[in-house]
Amino acid sequence: MSLLTADDAILRHAGGQGRAAVAQPTAQRMSDSYQAVKALTCQQVIDQLEAQGVTAEALDQRVLRQEIEQVISSRSRRGQLALNSAERLVLIEDVEDEVVGLGPLAPLLRDPGIDDIIVNGPHTIYVERAGMLEQVETRFRDDGHLMNIIQRIVGPIGRRVDEATPFVDARLADGSRVNIVIPPIALDGPLVSIRKFRLQALTVEDCVNSGVMSVPMAAYISSAVRSRLNILICGGTGAGKSTLLNVLSGCIGDRERLVTIEDAAELQLRQNHVVRLETRPPSVDGSREVSARDLLRNALRMRPDRIILGEVRGTEVVEMLQAMSTGHDGSMATLHGNSPRDALARLEMLLGFAGQQSDIRALRRFVANSVHVIVNIQRLATGARRVTSVTEVTGVEGDAYSLNELFRFEEQPPMSGEGAFQTLSPRPYHAARLRDFVMPTAAGSKRGGEASGIAAW
């Protein structure tokens, strides 16, 4: 009896896509018998390589594939496997993923239609396609199998995950962001969340054409970046804050020195002069931690033109706002918040955590002088992302912030995912500063027919 179906193999390799094509696994392929065959074949390949005194990682991909084919051919000759040519290709690919790749996660990572991969224990895996979650049939054999893949993820970047440190942020070789939680913190087995890295960075035009923002929004935001206004991007979890930060960074010129600070490096800056810094978690004894605040303090001594902070979440807010208000114009950061006013309130809260307990009016003047523009992005109920508000911080009047909301996305009816972009203010507060930096390609977009207040600048 065959362990694989020919249809499954044909689907997986159809269309000339080779390893990049991924078909939905059949129940037979996900069966315990197939998992056992794959595990035994992997072990035999490893034993054969050890006998030769080499490791799988040291071999060229073509040579490793030949070694796998030899083991499978040997087992087939002994009658241990009954495979046709299509089934043989599928098993070779899966064994290769197990030996040097990320096992069952590898085909999901190769699928360009998947944005997120969520592993809830060894037998339950979800993926996000077009903003919506769906369960897939891919699975691990057991907790041990999943833990082996986890150690393969964290090992190359010098991170560790064990009972002493049961959760960790990491990244894959391609830049994908990974969060891992293991028992005893995770009660139902190891948990893995992967935010996939886009091979091709999005541009402002891509966002306009896909409906993330309108033409006037794109023109204003691009001009704000070029004119070195300080920009804060806020939104909920998974709303697309980091992706939008990547998009806006593409508007920065090549003659500027940029310093990026992140917990797990994922920004795709395409400029020539970029310095990337990454935080380091504490060791087992609680020492050797390098926080975002430490990196921000050091970055100020590195002669940056702009500082780009992946996310503001702690006491580093003090150094960030000081940098924005003392010569590092054009800096950008992301922050959790459901609206521009929520983002400002969160900044005040973080400043309080950092020990800044001065008069509230002085605190708000400090924030208003540092942050020029707040861009709010949200993920709607349908999974679509939209820039829902672009707001300028114009100062403080009395005890309240003075805000000038330029653009808004109105969802009608609520929770429908449908709506329209509106231009609320015809003249930006920073119009004089923006006039020489208007995005020249905005009118040529596919949505160029929308009304715009750009000409009034």
Side-chain angles (χ1 to χ4, degrees), residues 279 291-298 315-319 354 356:
T279 62
S291 67
R293 190 171 194 178
D294 297 329
L295 294 178
L296 261 167
R297 287 172 176 168
N298 187 76
T315 56
E316 68 273 7
V317 65
V318 178
E319 281 71 22
Q356 304 296 313

Side-chain angles (χ1 to χ4, degrees), residues 214-228:
S214 65
V215 171
M217 279 183 178
Y220 174 83
I221 295 173
S222 300
S223 304
V225 174
R226 292 190 178 97
S227 62
R228 299 178 65 87

Side-chain angles (χ1 to χ4, degrees), residues 23-132:
Q24 289 295 330
T26 63
Q28 185 178 18
R29 184 177 171 205
M30 291 295 100
S31 66
D32 292 337
S33 61
Y34 176 78
Q35 296 293 329
V37 167
K38 184 171 66 174
L40 182 57
T41 306
C42 290
Q43 188 58 52
Q44 290 180 342
V45 170
I46 293 172
D47 292 343
Q48 181 169 305
L49 294 177
E50 289 179 348
Q52 300 174 13
V54 297
T55 62
E57 291 77 8
L59 291 179
D60 180 76
Q61 181 179 350
R62 180 178 55 83
V63 176
L64 175 61
R65 200 173 183 90
Q66 291 175 350
E67 295 288 344
I68 296 172
E69 289 174 353
Q70 290 177 8
V71 170
I72 293 176
S73 296
S74 175
R75 297 192 65 194
S76 297
R77 287 194 300 270
R78 295 197 298 268
Q80 297 174 341
L81 291 176
L83 302 173
N84 60 34
S85 58
E87 297 168 347
R88 180 189 180 94
L89 286 174
V90 173
L91 183 58
I92 289 172
E93 185 172 302
D94 284 351
V95 171
E96 185 177 348
D97 288 336
E98 289 289 344
V99 173
V100 294
L102 296 181
L105 298 179
L108 302 178
L109 289 167
R110 290 194 292 265
D111 187 343
I114 293 176
D115 296 320
D116 287 77
I117 303 170
I118 301 172
V119 180
N120 297 337
H123 305 305
T124 307
I125 300 178
Y126 288 85
V127 299
E128 180 186 308
R129 300 178 192 269
M132 304 301 289

Side-chain angles (χ1 to χ4, degrees), residues 364-408:
R364 289 179 175 173
R365 282 196 297 270
F366 174 47
V367 172
N369 289 334
S370 303
V371 179
H372 299 136
V373 180
I374 301 177
V375 179
N376 183 250
I377 184 169
Q378 297 292 342
R379 180 169 60 177
L380 307 183
T382 59
R385 271 87 171 180
R386 295 287 184 271
V387 173
T388 57
S389 176
V390 178
T391 303
E392 294 178 310
V393 182
T394 61
V396 177
E397 294 183 1
D399 292 337
Y401 291 104
S402 175
L403 303 180
N404 179 31
E405 188 173 15
L406 300 172
F407 309 103
R408 180 189 300 167

